[in-house]
């Protein structure tokens, strides 16, 4: 079993930055895809960013140029650096890890951007 622990959410003013982290622990052989999702109240969950084991990244159009996803497999950790935050970035951010052919989810962390 794999557990994901997220941290780094909080309240920030528009234009500010936050860095989210998600650390995986447990019986891990290989981590493939690592992703960050977000869900705002009344909206569908959306994929924010993804990073493959090769290092190839993918971003939602709404965050390109502002967010950066990175990973350290030695630490089983994925980060999401969020810059130039906007009020519309307010949401619960959740990490997702595809590890050893299983899909795991974090508990979610709230990000609130005030205008």
């Amino acid at each position: 079993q794999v557990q994901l622990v997220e941290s780094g959410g909080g309240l920030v003013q528009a234009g500010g930055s936050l860095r989210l982290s998600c650390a995986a622990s447990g019986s891990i052989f290989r981590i493939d895809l690592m992703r960050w999702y977000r869900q705002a109240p009344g909206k569908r969950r959306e994929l924010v960013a993804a990073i493959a084991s090769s290092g190839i990244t993918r971003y939602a159009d709404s965050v390109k140029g502002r967010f950066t996803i990175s990973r350290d497999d030695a630490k089983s950790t994925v980060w999401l650096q969020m810059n130039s935050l906007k009020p519309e970035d307010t949401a619960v951010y959740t990490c997702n890890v595809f590890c050893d052919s299983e899909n795991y989810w974090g508990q979610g962390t709230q990000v609130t951007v005030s205008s």
Side-chain angles (χ1 to χ4, degrees):
Q1 191 71 318
V2 174
Q3 295 80 41
L4 303 180
V5 177
E6 300 164 2
S7 61
L11 173 64
V12 65
Q13 288 188 332
S17 298
L18 284 174
R19 190 188 194 207
L20 306 182
S21 67
C22 174
S25 63
S27 179
I28 299 171
F29 178 70
R30 174 187 167 87
I31 297 177
D32 294 305
L33 194 61
M34 305 181 88
R35 294 175 282 201
W36 285 97
Y37 287 83
R38 69 185 180 187
Q39 187 168 22
K43 294 188 177 181
R44 296 177 61 182
R45 184 173 63 192
E46 65 169 336
L47 176 65
V48 177
I51 183 166
S53 56
S54 63
I56 294 175
T57 58
R58 172 186 171 187
Y59 296 93
D61 288 341
S62 59
V63 307
K64 282 181 182 176
R66 301 188 297 123
F67 291 11
T68 302
I69 189 171
S70 59
R71 63 189 281 172
D72 184 336
D73 287 347
K75 297 180 179 179
S76 299
T77 300
V78 60
W79 294 274
L80 184 67
Q81 178 67 42
M82 305 184 293
N83 298 329
S84 302
L85 283 161
K86 304 175 181 180
E88 51 263 43
D89 294 318
T90 295
V92 175
Y93 286 70
T94 305
C95 70
N96 169 267
V97 171
F98 190 71
C99 169
D100 300 330
S101 301
E102 295 284 344
N103 217 17
Y104 298 94
W105 293 89
Q107 79 281 5
T109 185
Q110 177 70 44
V111 171
T112 302
V113 184
S114 63
S115 57

